[in-house]
Amino acid sequence: MTARTSHIMLVLAAFLAGLVIFLGVFLFATGQFRGSGQSYSAIGGPFKLIDQDGKPVTDQDLKGGPALVFFGYTHCPDICPTTLYEISEVLHALGADADRVHALYITVDPERDTPAVMKDYLSSFDPHLRGATGDTQSIESVEKAYRVIAQKVPTGNGDYSMDHTALVYLMDKQGRFVAPFSLKRRPAESAADLRKYM
Ligand SMILES: [Cu+2]
């Protein structure tokens, strides 16, 4: 091996080592090394918002019983009303046990969804449903905690819609994330599933 080729080999080796370190740090930082079980438990966390009556609502309010947490916005044309209707059916199927379940609808559109707007909107659904709004920063922070993606999509005339994660999060009575909650089954089945976490 000539001095020149050994120099090239050395540079190449240093480059590869650097690449490996870089990838390791990158994967670690983006959480790719964690198993899905662990990233599940990383969903949720502290938040401080305002409900549709202007009262504070925090992560502590989700404790003591199973909770369904859903993100959306009142101008939503289809997904939100459908989901809230389905959650209402489950709450209805629970009968008196609905008092032992928390159902929280957190807005991703705090600009338009004031407590008054949320209150008016939620009056069409089961009264156990509680709405949550807040300033932009608090909403961004709770979205981050729940890994929710929400994005403004202009629709012309200065109007906009919001693309958003439409997962219903089932939290246990300690406020820990269990799994996405399926509403694609009979309300009685969903209700029976919820009862397991009471
Ligand atoms: Cu929606």
Side-chain angles (χ1 to χ4, degrees), residues 57-140:
V57 53
T58 74
D59 50 296
Q60 296 301 313
D61 292 305
L62 298 180
K63 294 184 178 175
L68 297 179
V69 180
F70 179 62
F71 289 78
Y73 67 113
T74 64
H75 286 67
C76 185
D78 40 37
I79 296 169
C80 287
T82 306
T83 305
L84 292 172
Y85 174 75
E86 287 169 345
I87 293 176
S88 296
E89 294 240 288
V90 175
L91 291 167
H92 184 72
L94 279 168
D97 279 343
D99 290 338
R100 300 167 63 189
V101 173
H102 307 289
L104 189 64
Y105 179 54
I106 302 176
T107 186
V108 294
D109 185 15
E111 266 175 60
R112 292 186 294 197
D113 289 340
T114 61
V117 169
M118 297 286 276
K119 193 180 171 81
D120 183 49
Y121 183 71
L122 287 174
S123 67
S124 307
F125 301 100
D126 188 280
H128 292 93
L129 266 161
R130 201 171 176 196
T133 184
D135 55 40
T136 314
Q137 209 186 338
S138 315
I139 294 296
E140 272 173 11

Coordinates of all heavy atoms in Angstrom, one line a residue, residues 57-140:
V57 N -59.2 23.3 33.1 CA -59.2 21.9 32.9 C -57.7 21.4 32.7 O -57.0 22.0 31.9 CB -60.2 21.4 31.8 CG1 -59.9 22.2 30.5 CG2 -60.1 19.9 31.6
T58 N -57.3 20.5 33.5 CA -55.9 20.0 33.4 C -55.9 18.5 33.2 O -56.9 17.8 33.3 CB -55.1 20.4 34.6 OG1 -55.5 19.5 35.7 CG2 -55.3 21.8 35.1
D59 N -54.7 18.0 33.0 CA -54.5 16.5 32.9 C -55.0 15.8 34.2 O -55.4 14.6 34.1 CB -53.0 16.2 32.7 CG -52.1 16.9 33.6 OD1 -52.1 18.1 33.6 OD2 -51.4 16.2 34.4
Q60 N -55.0 16.5 35.3 CA -55.4 15.9 36.6 C -56.9 15.6 36.5 O -57.4 14.6 37.2 CB -55.1 16.8 37.8 CG -53.7 17.1 38.0 CD -52.9 15.9 38.3 OE1 -53.3 15.0 39.1 NE2 -51.7 15.7 37.6
D61 N -57.7 16.3 35.7 CA -59.1 16.1 35.6 C -59.4 14.8 34.8 O -60.6 14.3 34.8 CB -59.8 17.3 34.9 CG -59.7 18.5 35.7 OD1 -60.2 18.5 36.9 OD2 -59.2 19.5 35.2
L62 N -58.4 14.2 34.2 CA -58.6 13.0 33.4 C -58.5 11.8 34.3 O -58.8 10.6 33.9 CB -57.6 12.9 32.3 CG -57.7 13.9 31.2 CD1 -56.6 13.7 30.1 CD2 -59.0 14.0 30.5
K63 N -58.0 12.0 35.5 CA -57.8 10.8 36.4 C -59.0 10.4 37.1 O -60.0 11.1 37.1 CB -56.7 11.2 37.4 CG -55.3 11.4 36.7 CD -54.2 11.7 37.7 CE -52.9 11.8 37.0 NZ -51.8 12.2 37.9
G64 N -59.0 9.2 37.8 CA -60.1 8.7 38.5 C -61.0 7.8 37.7 O -61.9 7.1 38.3
G65 N -60.9 7.8 36.4 CA -61.7 6.9 35.6 C -61.1 6.9 34.2 O -60.2 7.8 33.9
P66 N -61.5 6.0 33.4 CA -61.0 6.0 32.0 C -61.4 7.4 31.3 O -62.4 8.0 31.6 CB -61.7 4.9 31.3 CG -62.9 4.6 32.1 CD -62.6 5.0 33.5
A67 N -60.5 7.8 30.4 CA -60.8 9.0 29.7 C -60.6 8.8 28.2 O -59.7 8.1 27.7 CB -59.8 10.1 30.2
L68 N -61.5 9.5 27.4 CA -61.4 9.5 26.0 C -61.0 11.0 25.6 O -61.6 11.9 26.0 CB -62.7 9.2 25.3 CG -63.2 7.7 25.5 CD1 -64.5 7.5 24.8 CD2 -62.2 6.7 25.1
V69 N -59.8 11.1 25.0 CA -59.3 12.4 24.6 C -59.3 12.5 23.1 O -58.8 11.6 22.4 CB -57.9 12.7 25.2 CG1 -57.4 14.1 24.8 CG2 -57.9 12.5 26.7
F70 N -59.9 13.6 22.6 CA -60.0 13.7 21.1 C -59.7 15.2 20.7 O -60.1 16.1 21.4 CB -61.4 13.3 20.6 CG -61.6 13.4 19.2 CD1 -60.9 12.7 18.3 CD2 -62.6 14.3 18.7 CE1 -61.1 12.8 16.9 CE2 -62.8 14.4 17.3 CZ -62.1 13.7 16.4
F71 N -58.9 15.3 19.7 CA -58.6 16.7 19.2 C -59.3 17.0 17.9 O -59.5 16.2 17.1 CB -57.0 16.7 18.9 CG -56.2 16.7 20.1 CD1 -55.9 15.5 20.8 CD2 -55.6 17.9 20.7 CE1 -55.1 15.4 21.9 CE2 -54.8 17.8 21.8 CZ -54.6 16.6 22.4
G72 N -59.7 18.3 17.8 CA -60.4 18.7 16.6 C -60.8 20.2 16.7 O -60.2 20.9 17.4
Y73 N -61.8 20.6 15.9 CA -62.2 22.0 15.9 C -63.6 22.1 15.5 O -64.1 21.3 14.7 CB -61.2 22.8 15.0 CG -61.3 22.5 13.5 CD1 -61.8 23.5 12.7 CD2 -60.9 21.3 13.0 CE1 -61.9 23.2 11.3 CE2 -61.0 21.1 11.7 CZ -61.4 22.0 10.8 OH -61.5 21.8 9.5
T74 N -64.3 23.1 16.0 CA -65.7 23.2 15.8 C -66.2 23.4 14.3 O -67.3 23.1 14.0 CB -66.4 24.2 16.7 OG1 -65.9 25.5 16.3 CG2 -66.1 24.0 18.2
H75 N -65.3 24.0 13.5 CA -65.6 24.3 12.1 C -65.4 23.0 11.3 O -65.6 23.0 10.0 CB -64.8 25.4 11.5 CG -65.2 26.8 12.0 ND1 -65.1 27.2 13.3 CD2 -65.8 27.8 11.3 CE1 -65.5 28.4 13.4 NE2 -66.0 28.8 12.2
C76 N -65.0 21.9 11.9 CA -64.7 20.7 11.1 C -65.9 20.2 10.4 O -67.0 20.0 11.0 CB -64.1 19.6 12.1 SG -63.6 18.1 11.3
P77 N -65.8 19.9 9.1 CA -67.0 19.5 8.4 C -67.5 18.1 8.6 O -68.7 17.9 8.5 CB -66.5 19.7 6.9 CG -65.1 19.6 6.9 CD -64.6 20.1 8.3
D78 N -66.6 17.2 8.9 CA -67.1 15.8 9.0 C -66.5 15.0 10.1 O -67.3 14.4 10.9 CB -66.8 15.1 7.6 CG -65.5 15.4 7.0 OD1 -64.5 15.6 7.8 OD2 -65.4 15.5 5.8
I79 N -65.2 14.9 10.2 CA -64.6 13.9 11.1 C -65.0 14.2 12.6 O -65.4 13.3 13.3 CB -63.0 13.9 11.0 CG1 -62.7 13.4 9.6 CG2 -62.4 13.0 12.1 CD1 -61.2 13.5 9.2
C80 N -64.9 15.5 13.0 CA -65.2 15.8 14.4 C -66.6 15.6 14.7 O -66.9 14.9 15.7 CB -64.8 17.3 14.7 SG -63.0 17.5 14.8
P81 N -67.6 16.1 14.0 CA -69.0 15.8 14.3 C -69.3 14.3 14.4 O -70.0 13.9 15.3 CB -69.8 16.5 13.3 CG -68.9 17.2 12.4 CD -67.5 17.0 12.8
T82 N -68.7 13.6 13.4 CA -69.0 12.1 13.4 C -68.4 11.5 14.7 O -69.1 10.7 15.4 CB -68.4 11.5 12.2 OG1 -68.8 12.1 11.0 CG2 -68.7 10.0 12.1
T83 N -67.2 11.8 15.0 CA -66.5 11.2 16.2 C -67.2 11.6 17.4 O -67.5 10.8 18.3 CB -65.0 11.7 16.2 OG1 -64.4 11.3 15.0 CG2 -64.3 11.0 17.3
L84 N -67.6 12.9 17.6 CA -68.3 13.3 18.8 C -69.7 12.7 18.9 O -70.1 12.4 20.0 CB -68.4 14.9 18.8 CG -67.1 15.6 19.0 CD1 -67.3 17.1 18.8 CD2 -66.4 15.3 20.3
Y85 N -70.3 12.4 17.8 CA -71.6 11.7 17.8 C -71.4 10.3 18.3 O -72.1 9.8 19.1 CB -72.2 11.8 16.4 CG -73.5 10.9 16.3 CD1 -74.7 11.4 16.8 CD2 -73.4 9.7 15.7 CE1 -75.8 10.6 16.8 CE2 -74.6 8.9 15.6 CZ -75.8 9.4 16.1 OH -76.9 8.6 16.1
E86 N -70.3 9.7 17.7 CA -70.1 8.3 18.1 C -69.7 8.2 19.6 O -70.1 7.2 20.3 CB -68.9 7.7 17.2 CG -69.4 7.4 15.8 CD -68.3 7.1 14.8 OE1 -67.1 7.3 15.1 OE2 -68.6 6.6 13.7
I87 N -68.9 9.1 20.1 CA -68.5 9.1 21.5 C -69.8 9.3 22.3 O -70.0 8.7 23.4 CB -67.5 10.2 21.8 CG1 -66.1 9.9 21.2 CG2 -67.3 10.4 23.3 CD1 -65.0 10.9 21.3
S88 N -70.7 10.2 21.9 CA -72.0 10.5 22.6 C -72.8 9.2 22.7 O -73.4 8.9 23.7 CB -72.8 11.5 21.8 OG -72.1 12.8 21.9
E89 N -72.8 8.4 21.6 CA -73.5 7.1 21.6 C -72.9 6.2 22.7 O -73.7 5.4 23.3 CB -73.4 6.5 20.2 CG -74.1 7.3 19.2 CD -75.2 6.5 18.5 OE1 -74.9 5.6 17.7 OE2 -76.4 6.8 18.8
V90 N -71.6 6.1 22.8 CA -70.9 5.3 23.8 C -71.3 5.7 25.2 O -71.6 4.9 26.0 CB -69.4 5.3 23.6 CG1 -68.7 4.5 24.6 CG2 -69.0 4.7 22.2
L91 N -71.3 7.0 25.4 CA -71.6 7.6 26.7 C -73.0 7.3 27.1 O -73.4 6.9 28.2 CB -71.3 9.1 26.7 CG -69.9 9.5 26.7 CD1 -69.7 11.0 26.4 CD2 -69.1 9.2 27.9
H92 N -73.9 7.4 26.1 CA -75.3 7.0 26.3 C -75.5 5.6 26.6 O -76.2 5.2 27.6 CB -76.1 7.4 25.0 CG -77.6 7.2 25.2 ND1 -78.4 8.0 26.0 CD2 -78.4 6.2 24.7 CE1 -79.6 7.5 25.9 NE2 -79.6 6.4 25.2
A93 N -74.7 4.7 25.9 CA -74.8 3.3 26.2 C -74.3 2.9 27.6 O -74.6 1.9 28.2 CB -74.0 2.5 25.1
L94 N -73.4 3.8 28.2 CA -72.9 3.5 29.5 C -73.9 3.8 30.6 O -73.8 3.4 31.7 CB -71.7 4.4 29.7 CG -70.3 3.9 29.2 CD1 -69.3 5.0 29.2 CD2 -69.9 2.7 29.9
G95 N -75.0 4.5 30.2 CA -76.0 4.8 31.2 C -75.4 5.6 32.4 O -74.6 6.6 32.1
A96 N -75.7 5.2 33.6 CA -75.2 6.0 34.8 C -73.7 5.9 34.9 O -73.1 6.8 35.5 CB -75.8 5.4 36.1
D97 N -73.1 4.9 34.3 CA -71.6 4.8 34.4 C -70.9 5.9 33.6 O -69.7 6.0 33.7 CB -71.2 3.4 33.8 CG -71.3 2.3 34.9 OD1 -71.4 2.7 36.1 OD2 -71.3 1.1 34.5
A98 N -71.6 6.6 32.7 CA -71.0 7.6 32.0 C -70.4 8.7 32.9 O -69.4 9.4 32.5 CB -72.0 8.3 31.0
D99 N -70.9 8.8 34.1 CA -70.4 9.8 35.1 C -69.0 9.4 35.5 O -68.3 10.2 36.1 CB -71.3 9.8 36.3 CG -72.6 10.5 36.0 OD1 -72.7 11.2 35.0 OD2 -73.6 10.2 36.8
R100 N -68.6 8.1 35.3 CA -67.3 7.7 35.7 C -66.2 7.8 34.6 O -65.1 7.3 34.8 CB -67.4 6.2 36.3 CG -68.4 6.1 37.4 CD -68.7 4.7 37.7 NE -67.6 3.9 38.1 CZ -67.6 2.6 38.3 NH1 -68.7 1.9 38.0 NH2 -66.5 1.9 38.7
V101 N -66.7 8.3 33.5 CA -65.8 8.4 32.3 C -65.5 9.9 32.0 O -66.4 10.7 32.2 CB -66.4 7.7 31.1 CG1 -65.6 8.0 29.8 CG2 -66.6 6.2 31.3
H102 N -64.3 10.2 31.6 CA -64.0 11.6 31.2 C -64.0 11.6 29.7 O -63.3 10.7 29.1 CB -62.7 12.1 31.7 CG -62.6 11.9 33.2 ND1 -63.3 12.7 34.1 CD2 -61.9 11.1 34.0 CE1 -63.1 12.4 35.3 NE2 -62.2 11.4 35.3
A103 N -64.6 12.5 29.1 CA -64.5 12.7 27.6 C -64.1 14.1 27.3 O -64.9 15.0 27.7 CB -65.8 12.3 27.0
L104 N -62.9 14.3 26.7 CA -62.4 15.6 26.5 C -62.1 15.9 25.1 O -61.4 15.1 24.4 CB -61.1 15.8 27.4 CG -60.6 17.3 27.4 CD1 -61.6 18.2 28.1 CD2 -59.3 17.3 28.2
Y105 N -62.7 17.0 24.6 CA -62.5 17.4 23.2 C -61.7 18.7 23.2 O -62.1 19.7 23.6 CB -63.9 17.7 22.6 CG -63.9 18.2 21.2 CD1 -63.3 17.5 20.1 CD2 -64.6 19.3 20.8 CE1 -63.4 17.9 18.8 CE2 -64.7 19.8 19.5 CZ -64.1 19.1 18.5 OH -64.1 19.5 17.2
I106 N -60.4 18.5 22.7 CA -59.5 19.6 22.8 C -59.4 20.3 21.4 O -59.1 19.6 20.4 CB -58.1 19.1 23.2 CG1 -58.2 18.4 24.6 CG2 -57.1 20.3 23.3 CD1 -56.9 17.8 25.1
T107 N -59.5 21.6 21.3 CA -59.5 22.2 20.0 C -58.1 22.4 19.5 O -57.1 22.6 20.3 CB -60.2 23.6 20.1 OG1 -60.2 24.1 18.7 CG2 -59.4 24.6 20.9
V108 N -57.9 22.3 18.2 CA -56.7 22.6 17.5 C -56.7 23.9 16.9 O -55.9 24.3 16.1 CB -56.3 21.5 16.5 CG1 -56.0 20.1 17.2 CG2 -57.3 21.3 15.4
D109 N -57.9 24.6 17.1 CA -58.2 25.9 16.5 C -58.6 26.9 17.5 O -59.7 27.4 17.5 CB -59.3 25.7 15.4 CG -59.6 26.9 14.6 OD1 -58.8 27.9 14.6 OD2 -60.7 26.9 14.0
P110 N -57.6 27.2 18.4 CA -58.0 28.1 19.6 C -58.4 29.5 19.1 O -59.1 30.2 19.8 CB -56.8 28.1 20.4 CG -55.7 27.8 19.5 CD -56.2 26.8 18.5
E111 N -57.9 29.9 17.9 CA -58.3 31.3 17.4 C -59.8 31.4 17.3 O -60.3 32.5 17.7 CB -57.7 31.4 16.0 CG -56.4 32.1 15.9 CD -55.9 32.1 14.5 OE1 -56.5 32.7 13.6 OE2 -54.8 31.4 14.2
R112 N -60.5 30.4 16.8 CA -61.9 30.5 16.6 C -62.7 29.9 17.7 O -63.8 30.3 18.0 CB -62.3 29.9 15.2 CG -61.8 30.7 14.0 CD -62.3 30.1 12.7 NE -61.8 28.8 12.4 CZ -61.9 28.3 11.2 NH1 -62.4 29.0 10.2 NH2 -61.4 27.1 10.9
D113 N -62.1 28.8 18.3 CA -62.8 28.1 19.3 C -62.6 28.6 20.7 O -61.9 28.1 21.5 CB -62.4 26.6 19.3 CG -62.9 25.9 18.0 OD1 -63.9 26.4 17.4 OD2 -62.4 24.8 17.7
T114 N -63.4 29.7 21.0 CA -63.4 30.3 22.3 C -64.3 29.4 23.2 O -65.0 28.5 22.7 CB -64.0 31.7 22.3 OG1 -65.4 31.5 21.8 CG2 -63.3 32.6 21.4
P115 N -64.2 29.5 24.5 CA -65.1 28.7 25.4 C -66.5 28.8 25.0 O -67.2 27.8 25.0 CB -64.8 29.3 26.8 CG -63.4 29.8 26.7 CD -63.3 30.3 25.3
A116 N -67.0 30.0 24.6 CA -68.4 30.2 24.3 C -68.8 29.4 23.0 O -69.8 28.8 22.9 CB -68.7 31.7 24.1
V117 N -67.9 29.4 22.0 CA -68.1 28.7 20.8 C -68.1 27.2 21.0 O -69.0 26.4 20.5 CB -67.0 29.0 19.7 CG1 -67.0 28.1 18.5 CG2 -67.1 30.5 19.3
M118 N -67.2 26.7 21.9 CA -67.1 25.3 22.3 C -68.4 24.9 23.0 O -68.9 23.8 22.7 CB -65.9 25.1 23.2 CG -64.6 25.3 22.6 SD -64.0 24.1 21.4 CE -63.4 22.8 22.5
K119 N -68.9 25.8 23.9 CA -70.1 25.4 24.6 C -71.3 25.3 23.7 O -72.1 24.3 23.8 CB -70.3 26.6 25.7 CG -71.4 26.2 26.7 CD -71.6 27.3 27.7 CE -72.7 27.1 28.6 NZ -72.3 26.2 29.8
D120 N -71.4 26.2 22.8 CA -72.5 26.2 21.9 C -72.5 24.9 21.0 O -73.4 24.2 20.8 CB -72.5 27.4 21.0 CG -73.7 27.5 20.0 OD1 -74.8 27.3 20.5 OD2 -73.4 27.7 18.8
Y121 N -71.3 24.6 20.5 CA -71.0 23.4 19.7 C -71.3 22.1 20.4 O -72.0 21.2 19.9 CB -69.6 23.5 19.2 CG -69.2 22.4 18.2 CD1 -69.7 22.3 16.9 CD2 -68.4 21.3 18.6 CE1 -69.4 21.3 16.0 CE2 -68.0 20.3 17.7 CZ -68.5 20.3 16.4 OH -68.2 19.3 15.6
L122 N -70.8 22.0 21.6 CA -71.0 20.8 22.4 C -72.4 20.5 22.9 O -72.8 19.4 23.3 CB -70.0 20.8 23.6 CG -68.5 20.6 23.2 CD1 -67.6 20.7 24.4 CD2 -68.3 19.2 22.5
S123 N -73.2 21.6 22.8 CA -74.6 21.4 23.3 C -75.4 20.4 22.4 O -76.4 19.9 22.7 CB -75.3 22.8 23.3 OG -75.5 23.3 22.0
S124 N -74.8 20.1 21.2 CA -75.4 19.2 20.3 C -75.1 17.7 20.6 O -75.6 16.8 20.0 CB -75.0 19.4 18.8 OG -75.2 20.7 18.4
F125 N -74.2 17.5 21.6 CA -73.7 16.2 21.9 C -74.0 15.8 23.4 O -74.5 16.6 24.1 CB -72.2 16.1 21.6 CG -71.9 16.4 20.1 CD1 -71.4 17.7 19.8 CD2 -72.1 15.5 19.1 CE1 -71.1 18.0 18.4 CE2 -71.8 15.8 17.8 CZ -71.3 17.1 17.4
D126 N -73.5 14.6 23.7 CA -73.7 14.2 25.1 C -73.2 15.2 26.1 O -72.0 15.7 25.9 CB -73.1 12.8 25.3 CG -73.4 12.2 26.6 OD1 -72.8 12.6 27.7 OD2 -74.3 11.3 26.7
P127 N -73.9 15.5 27.1 CA -73.5 16.5 28.1 C -72.2 16.1 28.9 O -71.6 17.0 29.5 CB -74.7 16.7 29.1 CG -75.6 15.5 28.8 CD -75.3 15.1 27.4
H128 N -71.8 14.8 28.9 CA -70.6 14.5 29.6 C -69.4 15.0 28.8 O -68.3 15.0 29.4 CB -70.5 12.9 29.7 CG -71.5 12.4 30.6 ND1 -72.7 11.9 30.2 CD2 -71.5 12.2 32.0 CE1 -73.4 11.5 31.2 NE2 -72.7 11.7 32.3
L129 N -69.5 15.3 27.6 CA -68.4 15.8 26.8 C -67.9 17.2 27.3 O -68.7 18.1 27.4 CB -68.7 15.8 25.3 CG -68.4 14.6 24.5 CD1 -69.2 14.6 23.2 CD2 -66.9 14.6 24.2
R130 N -66.6 17.3 27.6 CA -66.1 18.5 28.0 C -65.2 19.1 26.9 O -64.4 18.3 26.3 CB -65.3 18.3 29.3 CG -65.1 19.5 30.1 CD -64.5 19.1 31.5 NE -64.3 20.3 32.3 CZ -63.5 20.3 33.4 NH1 -62.9 19.1 33.8 NH2 -63.3 21.4 34.0
G131 N -65.2 20.3 26.7 CA -64.4 20.9 25.7 C -63.2 21.6 26.3 O -63.3 22.0 27.5
A132 N -62.1 21.8 25.6 CA -60.9 22.5 26.1 C -60.3 23.3 25.1 O -60.1 22.9 23.9 CB -59.9 21.4 26.6
T133 N -60.0 24.6 25.5 CA -59.4 25.5 24.6 C -58.3 26.2 25.4 O -58.1 25.9 26.6 CB -60.3 26.5 23.9 OG1 -59.6 27.3 23.0 CG2 -61.1 27.3 24.9
G134 N -57.6 27.2 24.8 CA -56.6 27.9 25.5 C -55.8 28.8 24.6 O -56.2 28.9 23.4
D135 N -54.8 29.4 25.0 CA -54.0 30.3 24.1 C -53.2 29.4 23.2 O -53.0 28.2 23.4 CB -53.1 31.3 24.9 CG -52.2 30.6 25.9 OD1 -51.6 29.5 25.6 OD2 -52.0 31.2 27.0
T136 N -52.7 29.9 22.1 CA -52.0 29.2 21.1 C -50.9 28.3 21.7 O -50.7 27.2 21.3 CB -51.4 30.1 20.0 OG1 -52.4 31.1 19.7 CG2 -50.9 29.4 18.8
Q137 N -50.1 28.9 22.6 CA -49.0 28.2 23.2 C -49.4 27.0 24.0 O -48.8 25.9 23.9 CB -48.3 29.2 24.1 CG -46.8 28.9 24.3 CD -46.1 29.8 25.3 OE1 -46.7 30.9 25.6 NE2 -45.0 29.4 25.8
S138 N -50.5 27.1 24.8 CA -51.0 26.0 25.6 C -51.5 24.9 24.6 O -51.3 23.7 24.9 CB -52.1 26.4 26.5 OG -51.8 27.6 27.1
I139 N -52.2 25.3 23.6 CA -52.7 24.3 22.6 C -51.5 23.6 21.9 O -51.5 22.3 21.8 CB -53.7 24.9 21.6 CG1 -54.9 25.4 22.3 CG2 -54.0 24.0 20.5 CD1 -55.8 24.3 23.0
E140 N -50.5 24.3 21.5 CA -49.4 23.7 20.8 C -48.7 22.7 21.8 O -48.2 21.7 21.4 CB -48.4 24.8 20.4 CG -48.7 25.4 19.0 CD -47.9 26.6 18.6 OE1 -46.9 26.8 19.3 OE2 -48.2 27.2 17.6

